[in-house]
Amino acid sequence: MKPSQGLSIGDLADRTGLSVSAIRFYETKGLVAPLRNTGGHRRYDRADIRKLSFVRITQELGFPLAEIAAHITRLPQNRAPTKADWTRISKTLRKDLDTRIARLTRLRDTLDGCIGCGCLSLQKCKLYNPKDQASKRGSGPRYLMGDAPDV
């Protein structure tokens, strides 16, 4: 891309739904690397729309920025990422996404019942986790973390 071409930071903000300040922040983290035109204005490649959209949605899903950055830095810098480039990222994220989906599903389905946290505040907890037996497996909401109740 020539510095005279490309998207302005405002155009990129409009396309991604991110604020200009957020885009500048992501730039400081190395997630995007705009060129500068002769007037010193940033110019972004159209491929940065997808990169920043990926950053936005993965952050909304709770992925840490350092992990997201590790994926982004594996993308080519000298050309727009291809489907194969994005597929490589998808494969590495799939296991983590599947785990998160399973945990969210468990949370949705069991939050109104015993989650194995040891509070024993619900009648159902006293049936599934009498005398806080789940604590033998470790701290935290054991049943939400994947342990099965002893029933």
Side-chain angles (χ1 to χ4, degrees), residues 21-33:
S21 61
I23 294 170
R24 287 186 183 129
F25 171 76
Y26 292 138
E27 183 182 339
T28 66
K29 298 298 182 186
L31 299 174
V32 289

Side-chain angles (χ1 to χ4, degrees), residues 40 54 57 63 66 68 95 108:
F54 172 76
I57 194 65
F63 286 88
I68 298 166
K95 183 177 180 183
R108 181 199 63 206

Side-chain angles (χ1 to χ4, degrees), residues 74-94:
R74 290 186 196 115
L75 292 172
Q77 299 300 316
N78 58 343
R79 63 172 171 77
T82 64
K83 183 178 185 315
D85 296 322
W86 287 109
T87 297
R88 269 194 310 281
I89 288 176
S90 172
K91 285 180 181 178
T92 60
L93 282 177
R94 185 170 299 277

Side-chain angles (χ1 to χ4, degrees), residues 32-50:
V32 289
L35 297 174
R36 301 270 182 170
N37 66 14
T38 54
H41 299 110
R42 293 171 172 90
R43 289 293 178 236
Y44 295 87
D45 193 290
R46 293 188 64 78
D48 290 332
I49 294 171
R50 183 155 183 168

